[in-house]
Amino acid sequence: MIGFLASLTGGVPHETLTLEFGALRLRPPQIADYAPWAELRQASRPFLQPWEPAWPADDLSQAAFRRRLARYRQEIRSDSAYPFFLVDRHSEAILGGITLANVRRRAAQSATLGYWMGAPHAGKGHMTEAVKALSRHAFLRLGLERIEAACLPDNAASVRVLEKAGFRREGYARGYLSIAGARRDHVLFARLKSDPIPE
């Protein structure tokens, strides 16, 4: 399977792949990331929890992080998801995370985009650039034709990220996901490979 993934990513296995743009880098999560990841997530808890599924009680434990990495490895091997951490190229500080999940092949050639940003780094345009970079990678290297995303209607920051990254509104889904312990409606977005490249 590594050979297959390497062919998709231009000869680079996903486990070692990095996407660099400006002062930022996208790279797969590693076990050494546990402490800075947990620290950022804990510090950002009040900022993140209103927009995410309810956190398990042990979500920030090292054991849970190891399980997360094991799941990531299985998903990469099966070509079903591609997770990245967004990091500062100079300090290597983790700023947030972004994932292409629910990869569908055959006629669909599509995936679902999800992301989070640490509170200290929000509102600086970093995630917009990360979404643009990962979209380019998905279309040019992974062979996808469509990327879908969804966000809460009142999450103005996420709506701005998607719109600036070239995603278009496509609909409204009632009770789409369980967020912070309750089923919530979501606005649906998508970007096609054939869509104009955002500036």
Side-chain angles (χ1 to χ4, degrees), residues 3 18 21 36 45 53 61 65 81 90 100 105 125 131 152 165 167:
T18 63
F21 46 102
R45 183 187 290 259
S61 70
F65 188 75
H90 305 297
L100 282 173
R105 294 296 182 179
V131 171
L152 295 171
F167 283 69

Side-chain angles (χ1 to χ4, degrees), residues 43-117:
S44 303
R45 183 187 290 259
F47 175 74
L48 293 172
Q49 284 191 320
W51 316 111
E52 296 188 348
W55 293 16
D58 69 340
D59 194 55
L60 299 183
S61 70
Q62 190 166 20
F65 188 75
R66 288 181 179 276
R67 291 194 299 272
R68 186 185 300 263
L69 291 187
R71 185 179 74 249
Y72 288 163
R73 286 191 295 270
Q74 192 280 326
E75 290 171 341
I76 293 165
R77 284 194 298 269
S78 65
D79 183 39
S80 62
Y82 294 93
F84 292 88
F85 279 162
L86 174 61
V87 302
D88 182 287
R89 287 178 61 185
H90 305 297
S91 68
E92 287 298 322
I94 297 172
L95 310 182
I98 184 168
T99 300
L100 282 173
N102 303 317
V103 176
R104 283 93 69 199
R105 294 296 182 179
R106 300 180 182 265
Q109 294 294 358
S110 63
T112 302
L113 177 73
Y115 49 83
W116 63 273
M117 179 63 80

Side-chain angles (χ1 to χ4, degrees), residues 1-181:
M1 182 61 75
I2 290 298
F4 170 67
L5 294 178
S7 69
L8 289 177
T9 56
V12 180
H14 180 78
E15 289 83 350
T16 61
L17 178 70
T18 63
L19 308 175
E20 297 186 347
F21 46 102
L24 304 175
R25 172 184 292 131
L26 290 176
R27 62 162 176 77
Q30 306 161 1
I31 190 62
D33 292 325
Y34 167 67
W37 169 85
E39 181 178 344
L40 179 61
R41 293 282 294 180
Q42 178 60 42
S44 303
R45 183 187 290 259
F47 175 74
L48 293 172
Q49 284 191 320
W51 316 111
E52 296 188 348
W55 293 16
D58 69 340
D59 194 55
L60 299 183
S61 70
Q62 190 166 20
F65 188 75
R66 288 181 179 276
R67 291 194 299 272
R68 186 185 300 263
L69 291 187
R71 185 179 74 249
Y72 288 163
R73 286 191 295 270
Q74 192 280 326
E75 290 171 341
I76 293 165
R77 284 194 298 269
S78 65
D79 183 39
S80 62
Y82 294 93
F84 292 88
F85 279 162
L86 174 61
V87 302
D88 182 287
R89 287 178 61 185
H90 305 297
S91 68
E92 287 298 322
I94 297 172
L95 310 182
I98 184 168
T99 300
L100 282 173
N102 303 317
V103 176
R104 283 93 69 199
R105 294 296 182 179
R106 300 180 182 265
Q109 294 294 358
S110 63
T112 302
L113 177 73
Y115 49 83
W116 63 273
M117 179 63 80
H121 314 294
K124 300 177 181 178
H126 298 327
M127 189 53 71
T128 299
E129 295 308 308
V131 171
K132 289 178 182 179
L134 186 53
S135 297
R136 287 192 297 269
H137 176 70
F139 293 140
L140 299 178
R141 298 297 187 183
L142 297 180
L144 298 180
E145 299 286 338
R146 174 180 169 88
I147 305 172
E148 301 166 355
C151 66
L152 295 171
D154 55 343
N155 189 344
S158 193
V159 169
R160 282 195 304 273
V161 165
L162 293 171
E163 290 179 341
K164 287 182 178 180
F167 283 69
R168 299 184 187 179
R169 287 182 196 235
E170 291 194 335
Y172 191 87
R174 296 178 301 131
Y176 186 67
L177 293 173
S178 179
I179 300 295

